[in-house]
Amino acid sequence: MTEMQKLYLLVPLAPLAGAIIAGLFGKAIGRRAAHTVTILGMVVCLVTSFLVYRDVMGGNIFNGPVYTWLVSGNIRFEIGFLIDPLSATMMMVVSFVSLMVHIYTIGYMADDPGYQRFFSYISLFTFSMLMLVMSNNFLQLFFGWEAVGLVSYLLIGFWYTRPTAIYANLKAFLVNRVGDFGFLLGIALVLMYFGTLDYAAVFAGAGRLAGNSIELFPGESWSLMTVICILLFIGAMGKSAQFPLHVWLPDSMEGPTPISALIHAATMVTAGIFMVARMSPLFELSETALSFVLIIGAITAFFMALIATVQYDIKRVVAYSTLSQLGYMTMALGASAYSAAIFHLFTHAFFKAVLFLGAGSVIIAMHHQQDMRKMGGLAKYMPITYMTVLIGALANAGLPPFAGFFSKETIVEALHHATVPGAGFAYALAVAGVFVGGFYSFRLVFYAFHGKERFADPQHPDVKAADAEAAAAAHHDEHKHDDHSHGDHAHDKHKNEHKNERDGHGSHAPHESPAVVWVPLVLLAIPSVCAGWLIGTFVHGNYFGSAITVHPAHTAMAALAAEFHGVIAMMTHALATLPFWLAVAGAGTAWFLYIVRPELPAKLRRKWGVVVTILMEKYGLDRFNDWFFAGGARALGTGLWKGGDIAVIDNVMVNGSARLVGWIASVVRELQSGYIYHYAFAMIFGVLALLTWALIR
């Protein structure tokens, strides 16, 4: 094993070691040691990821097995690594964001009794994601895929006594099982037709099988490559929360804020985007599959952004923002703009982590209040948090010179040049989504950080409306539980609450978060500003090399490359384009509604009550999920229990066999009379029957 191969192993094993120590020995070593060992593991992971990245950028690519798990005939099931520009970039993003989340967690989870357990979970989560992005075969990909899902369930349901956390966990599990079922079928078809699970072998043989067809139904022939790609993408729809398998992601907010940032920004939800980009040699052989990906992404990008405009929970606004941004990435994949999709994944990881962790900082300052109606005027109390959230909002809205502008603008322009069927529809929704994105991003900023200090005025209409909704929800809640499990934190009061100054109304004044919270925010805000300036290298250079394949017929990125004349020229050109002014218009609309005329939003909600209700109901998809997926699963389970277990196994097989034996015994008992002449008669009857049978035969 070479020195570089040892480094490859060290990248995922360092966080795994931290997870094992903190998880198994957390109580013995204490809190300080638990976060020290896991953060040390992440530092080692980040440093080694950087060394690997530098080696890859030097032209060294590795593709080989590490461990052979099973050999069946000519098929080898192996654990192996593919280290190329695509995986190396993902390793850097995952390890850096995860390290920032680990440091942030020290402050955020300071009072939580599950402190060591949480650090163990997020380190294990990082290990799982790294195994996924470093894989060189479908077996390891599926292992990482499911491991990331498993740990996410542990984290979403971290506060396992909360009914809402239990429900969110169940929803995430069921919806992802739907996606994973499709994903597994796709892998099974790959194994069936290619005879291997190795990426390189599959990609090499894809052209040979591109013309093959498969009969899903008698007389209905489908392109093999189309079926494989759509099934694989269904897996991505679950993991990367694409319509209609997106319903689990907003509910993942039931977990603590640090894991919300980790799931949404850099790990689990980006797994599907990475997977499709990795499978580009397959997707490029199916125009139908690309069109399917394109349309699903467009629907997700626009319609999920609309839901964000009516949310009051600060974390849910950011959550629906994630859904919308993932839709943009998916659209880019469908337009064969894979480099643009990964570039948006790259920039999004930073500014979305800023928004989530900034929201967490606000929640700490507000003593675990998440309703923006009870905020306002926080900028002067939390200047560092405010500036970082503002940077995140500017990047999320796609305004120059912030990172999100370059990646989102590239995607919109790629859609404009794309020739894949459905590109026009996707372009229209993408452009409309730019306005909505600008609106909800700055709605959060203006509503939470500017205007009247509503937290100090219990008689404010917004506060009274929030209290009324909370009271109504509590009244109808059938699951009563202790106060320590309410809110975004396991405790009802922050440890420093009594040290806060009181304002004129007697409430605790908000305050800036401790350094362990705001330092990661600042470190993430820096790339949120400048990461987009790497667009020339990332998108228009040959950065990914052979890691991504684009069919010559798909010329969208080639057209963009011809139009690109540098970062400054791109920003200057944007001033004359529709998306820029739509983003500005969205921000301006938010400013007018929440600063100039703050009474208007309530009036508009009453006037457009039907539309608001549809958005608050999330287009009825949650209800459909409850009825179809959750209800169907429960009905199936009940049917198997009552019909299979009780009726068939218990009543027929177990109890039925007992009754049969009992009946036979009762008959035999009657024959056992104890009289010799009865036995003699039985013998004579038997001999007669035997002779009759012999004669007839």
Side-chain angles (χ1 to χ4, degrees):
M1 183 177 291
T2 66
E3 292 300 317
M4 286 308 302
Q5 288 174 335
K6 292 178 181 177
L7 286 181
Y8 302 153
L9 282 171
L10 190 57
V11 171
L13 291 181
L16 177 62
I20 292 172
I21 294 171
L24 298 181
F25 309 104
K27 289 186 178 179
I29 63 178
R31 292 182 166 225
R32 182 181 295 273
H35 75 235
T36 300
V37 71
T38 51
I39 291 174
L40 181 62
M42 285 312 308
V43 170
V44 172
C45 177
L46 178 60
V47 171
T48 49
S49 293
F50 174 74
L51 295 174
V52 171
Y53 178 82
R54 190 175 64 177
D55 184 63
V56 170
M57 291 299 104
N60 298 312
I61 294 174
F62 175 81
N63 181 19
V66 175
Y67 172 73
T68 300
W69 177 58
L70 177 69
V71 177
S72 178
N74 296 324
I75 303 172
R76 300 178 67 86
F77 299 89
E78 296 175 331
I79 302 298
F81 293 149
L82 172 56
I83 310 298
D84 61 7
L86 179 58
S87 55
T89 301
M90 290 295 298
M91 289 159 62
M92 285 290 295
V93 172
V94 170
S95 56
F96 177 71
V97 174
S98 183
L99 175 60
M100 295 299 102
V101 169
H102 274 72
I103 297 171
Y104 179 96
T105 298
I106 297 174
Y108 194 88
M109 300 294 287
D111 295 336
D112 199 283
Y115 189 83
Q116 296 99 312
R117 177 167 59 94
F118 189 79
F119 273 98
S120 176
Y121 286 174
I122 57 178
S123 285
L124 187 60
F125 193 89
T126 307
F127 159 76
S128 303
M129 187 65 191
L130 288 168
M131 290 297 290
L132 189 158
V133 300
M134 295 171 69
S135 64
N136 76 338
N137 62 84
F138 285 92
L139 173 68
Q140 187 176 328
L141 175 70
F142 189 73
F143 162 75
W145 194 268
E146 292 301 315
V148 167
L150 170 64
V151 186
S152 74
Y153 308 141
L154 296 174
L155 287 162
I156 294 169
F158 183 78
W159 292 316
Y160 50 82
T161 59
R162 293 167 56 177
T164 50
I166 297 169
Y167 174 74
N169 218 354
L170 177 64
K171 182 185 287 188
F173 178 82
L174 290 175
V175 175
N176 273 278
R177 293 289 68 74
V178 176
D180 291 353
F181 181 65
F183 189 58
L184 190 59
L185 287 177
I187 294 175
L189 282 178
V190 168
L191 182 60
M192 179 185 297
Y193 283 90
F194 290 88
T196 179
L197 293 175
D198 183 74
Y199 289 164
V202 171
F203 298 159
R208 176 173 50 86
L209 296 176
N212 285 29
S213 59
I214 182 174
E215 270 195 16
L216 298 179
F217 306 100
E220 293 290 331
S221 184
W222 283 65
S223 164
L224 173 64
M225 213 53 63
T226 296
V227 174
I228 289 176
C229 290
I230 288 178
L231 287 172
L232 291 176
F233 180 67
I234 288 172
M237 288 169 63
K239 277 291 182 289
S240 291
Q242 295 297 289
F243 175 92
L245 301 183
H246 67 278
V247 293
W248 69 271
L249 191 59
D251 290 81
S252 69
M253 301 298 95
E254 291 299 328
T257 293
I259 196 53
S260 299
L262 202 53
I263 287 177
H264 287 244
T267 54
M268 184 174 172
V269 297
T270 61
I273 307 299
F274 164 81
M275 185 273 294
V276 175
R278 176 63 81 196
M279 301 299 145
S280 61
L282 303 181
F283 279 84
E284 287 298 291
L285 297 173
S286 174
E287 196 91 341
T288 304
L290 288 175
S291 187
F292 180 75
V293 172
L294 187 65
I295 291 171
I296 291 294
I299 293 171
T300 306
F302 179 71
F303 289 99
M304 297 304 110
L306 287 178
I307 298 178
T309 63
V310 299
Q311 297 296 311
Y312 289 120
D313 187 308
I314 189 170
K315 284 176 54 177
R316 286 188 178 269
V317 174
V318 186
Y320 281 103
S321 167
T322 300
L323 287 171
S324 180
Q325 300 301 328
L326 287 167
Y328 278 91
M329 299 176 205
T330 304
M331 280 191 288
L333 296 172
S336 292
Y338 302 98
S339 58
I342 298 299
F343 188 51
H344 196 46
L345 185 158
F346 172 71
T347 61
H348 175 263
F350 302 121
F351 65 74
K352 188 51 52 72
V354 165
L355 288 173
F356 265 116
L357 299 185
S361 181
V362 169
I363 291 167
I364 293 173
M366 295 299 299
H367 316 300
H368 316 296
Q369 176 59 251
Q370 297 179 200
D371 197 320
M372 294 190 297
R373 290 174 292 186
K374 294 187 175 183
M375 299 178 186
L378 295 178
K380 71 177 183 181
Y381 297 99
M382 310 178 69
I384 300 174
T385 298
Y386 168 65
M387 288 304 301
T388 55
V389 171
L390 179 61
I391 289 170
L394 287 163
N396 193 73
L399 292 170
F402 299 92
F405 159 75
F406 297 96
S407 53
K408 186 182 280 188
E409 178 77 7
T410 302
I411 291 173
V412 174
E413 289 301 313
L415 292 170
H416 181 66
H417 290 286
T419 57
V420 178
F425 170 78
Y427 177 72
L429 290 187
V431 170
V434 171
F435 172 83
V436 182
F439 175 76
Y440 71 66
S441 297
F442 282 90
R443 174 180 178 264
L444 185 153
V445 173
F446 294 136
Y447 211 16
F449 292 94
H450 292 274
K452 184 176 177 61
E453 297 175 5
R454 295 180 299 278
F455 59 85
D457 183 11
Q459 299 305 313
H460 193 280
D462 281 356
V463 176
K464 293 173 73 174
D467 288 338
E469 284 187 16
H475 179 72
H476 292 96
D477 187 4
E478 298 177 355
H479 307 281
K480 303 297 182 181
H481 47 285
D482 296 335
D483 288 340
H484 74 273
S485 64
H486 284 220
D488 188 57
H489 209 277
H491 296 272
D492 58 350
K493 292 184 179 181
H494 191 266
K495 66 178 181 179
N496 295 321
E497 184 176 279
H498 297 292
K499 297 180 182 179
N500 295 328
E501 297 179 359
R502 294 180 177 273
D503 62 19
H505 295 82
S507 62
H508 293 290
H511 58 92
E512 187 60 85
S513 300
V516 289
V517 171
W518 65 256
V519 167
L521 276 173
V522 172
L523 292 176
L524 286 164
I526 295 170
S528 298
V529 176
C530 59
W533 303 348
L534 300 172
I535 184 173
T537 302
F538 248 94
V539 178
H540 301 302
N542 191 31
Y543 179 84
F544 292 107
S546 60
I548 287 174
T549 299
V550 179
H551 195 278
H554 300 147
T555 58
M557 293 309 296
L560 284 184
E563 297 174 356
F564 180 73
H565 301 292
V567 171
I568 301 300
M570 184 175 178
M571 288 190 289
T572 305
H573 173 72
L575 300 179
T577 62
L578 181 61
F580 171 80
W581 290 108
L582 284 174
V584 172
T589 304
W591 170 77
F592 179 78
L593 289 177
Y594 293 94
I595 301 298
V596 180
R597 297 288 301 279
E599 76 281 359
L600 275 183
K603 294 180 180 178
L604 292 174
R605 288 178 79 95
R606 287 193 296 269
K607 185 176 181 180
W608 296 345
V610 176
V611 176
V612 173
T613 300
I614 292 172
L615 294 176
M616 291 299 292
E617 289 290 326
K618 305 145 194 167
Y619 311 110
L621 291 171
D622 267 359
R623 293 181 184 273
F624 175 79
N625 170 76
D626 288 342
W627 170 75
F628 187 78
F629 293 124
R634 285 193 295 266
L636 179 62
T638 301
L640 291 173
W641 166 46
K642 292 187 175 181
D645 188 29
I646 295 177
V648 177
I649 296 175
D650 285 349
N651 289 342
V652 176
M653 297 179 66
V654 178
N655 297 332
S657 60
R659 284 193 294 270
L660 178 63
V661 171
W663 178 80
I664 294 172
S666 66
V667 173
V668 172
R669 247 191 333 267
E670 294 298 323
L671 297 175
Q672 298 289 331
S673 64
Y675 295 108
I676 294 177
Y677 61 86
H678 284 172
Y679 298 131
F681 175 78
M683 292 173 62
I684 294 169
F685 180 79
V687 170
L688 180 61
L690 186 62
L691 291 172
T692 303
W693 176 78
L695 290 171
I696 294 174
R697 189 171 73 92

